[in-house]
Amino acid sequence: LGDADQMQIDVGQRSLAPKTCETCGMFYGSNDADELTHAKFHGQHVAKLKYKTWKKERCLTSYLDGKVIAIHPGDASHCWKKVDAVLELVDAELGFSHVGIRNPKNTKVYFYVRDGSIIGCLVAESIKTAFRVEDSEIENSKDAQTATSRSICCSQIPTAAICGISRIWVSPAHRRNKFASNLLESMRLDFVYPHILSIDEIAFSDPTVDGLIFARKYTGK
Ligand code: ACO
Ligand code: ZN
């Protein structure tokens, strides 16, 4: 090894290859400018998800590792501000243009909270009808492995439904631990309390491929 190479190894504690942050999902290079951009974005990301127990928190379910809380129409504006901050982040990840809550009077939001942080979010809306996704199209979209699947085909015939899932999201580092399933379970108990929503009364609106795979597994369809 020449001196230059040796130097490289001695100070080479951090990898020079670009990397993806597991927490905020940002892909960045190992130069000062990128690291600064990442540090700023990372801080904002963490702040949006930070949760300090609200005085009038509506806790639905407590688990060993966290809890599910609900935000209902008419709740304090600081609660809905938090919802908006979280949705900003979720919509950016989903590639949705951020429009916030479309029907605030008919929408309930659920957060999975763990260690002072929101790690999952579900937005549920009152609806009357839904269009079922056609089976063959699900298979096609799975094969194609496209990042988003807005081309998924739906039946032309509406079926009755009560609750539309407009967004469901779990932070990347926490996926495949049943957090989304638990959010849905809590929502089904709360959304039209005391009625417990059946699987058939729920519809997933405009799902991504992740969303579709999860929905199929959860609903058993
Ligand atoms: N690939 C294969 N199977 C999956 C996947 C996946 N990516 N995600 C869920 N499943 C299946 C599995 O069978 C899983 O059980 P297992 O882990 O024991 O095998 C089962 O569904 C239950 O999954 P959960 O652990 O409850 O789901 P998770 O907490 O990981 O959240 C979610 C799923 C919300 C789709 C998550 O992957 C995510 O946030 N993705 C990015 C955002 C997104 O695309 N959201 C859906 C948008 S569509 C809409 O909101 C209407
Ligand atoms: Zn980060």
Side-chain angles (χ1 to χ4, degrees):
L1 285 179
D3 278 348
D5 292 335
Q6 190 62 52
M7 282 271 285
Q8 181 80 61
I9 289 164
D10 285 343
V11 298
Q13 299 299 339
R14 54 183 198 183
S15 157
L16 293 175
K19 48 190 174 284
T20 302
C21 175
E22 269 187 37
T23 305
C24 73
M26 185 170 175
F27 181 71
Y28 63 102
S30 60
N31 55 69
D32 287 350
D34 272 23
E35 303 223 336
L36 210 66
T37 309
H38 169 241
K40 194 172 167 213
F41 181 81
H42 190 98
Q44 288 166 347
H45 181 97
V46 170
K48 282 176 190 167
L49 295 176
K50 199 174 157 83
Y51 174 82
K52 256 173 87 184
T53 307
W54 296 328
K55 265 195 212 136
K56 288 190 182 171
E57 172 187 273
R58 193 181 289 101
C59 181
L60 300 180
T61 323
S62 288
Y63 298 94
L64 284 175
D65 62 356
K67 61 187 171 187
V68 174
I69 66 165
I71 298 100
H72 287 185
D75 281 1
S77 64
H78 71 91
C79 305
W80 285 99
K81 270 196 191 130
K82 195 67 191 175
V83 168
D84 205 51
V86 172
L87 287 186
E88 231 173 69
L89 180 157
V90 170
D91 288 348
E93 189 187 326
L94 291 175
F96 291 1
S97 55
H98 179 60
V99 290
I101 301 286
R102 278 179 301 177
N103 297 305
K105 284 189 189 137
N106 297 315
T107 302
K108 291 179 180 170
V109 178
Y110 302 86
F111 285 156
Y112 202 113
V113 176
R114 187 180 175 178
D115 298 332
S117 229
I118 294 157
I119 60 156
C121 172
L122 188 166
V123 178
E125 280 177 356
S126 295
I127 54 169
K128 295 205 166 61
T129 51
F131 299 87
R132 301 251 168 255
V133 172
E134 310 263 277
D135 249 10
S136 58
E137 297 296 332
I138 297 176
E139 295 307 329
N140 290 343
S141 71
K142 243 195 330 197
D143 291 347
Q145 285 290 315
T146 44
T148 54
S149 56
R150 299 184 150 257
S151 57
I152 291 163
C153 219
C154 293
S155 160
Q156 302 291 312
I157 305 150
T159 47
I162 293 177
C163 171
I165 312 292
S166 92
R167 295 183 201 73
I168 185 159
W169 171 88
V170 169
S171 91
H174 295 93
R175 287 179 193 161
R176 303 299 294 270
N177 285 298
K178 297 286 192 283
F179 291 122
S181 305
N182 287 337
L183 271 169
L184 262 169
E185 292 294 304
S186 291
M187 183 282 286
R188 288 171 61 193
L189 299 175
D190 175 70
F191 194 71
V192 264
Y193 185 84
H195 171 71
I196 301 170
L197 286 176
S198 73
I199 297 281
D200 286 333
E201 291 166 330
I202 303 170
F204 289 78
S205 76
D206 217 353
T208 57
V209 170
D210 264 4
L212 207 51
I213 295 172
F214 165 76
R216 274 197 106 184
K217 184 76 186 178
Y218 183 84
T219 61
K221 284 178 185 156

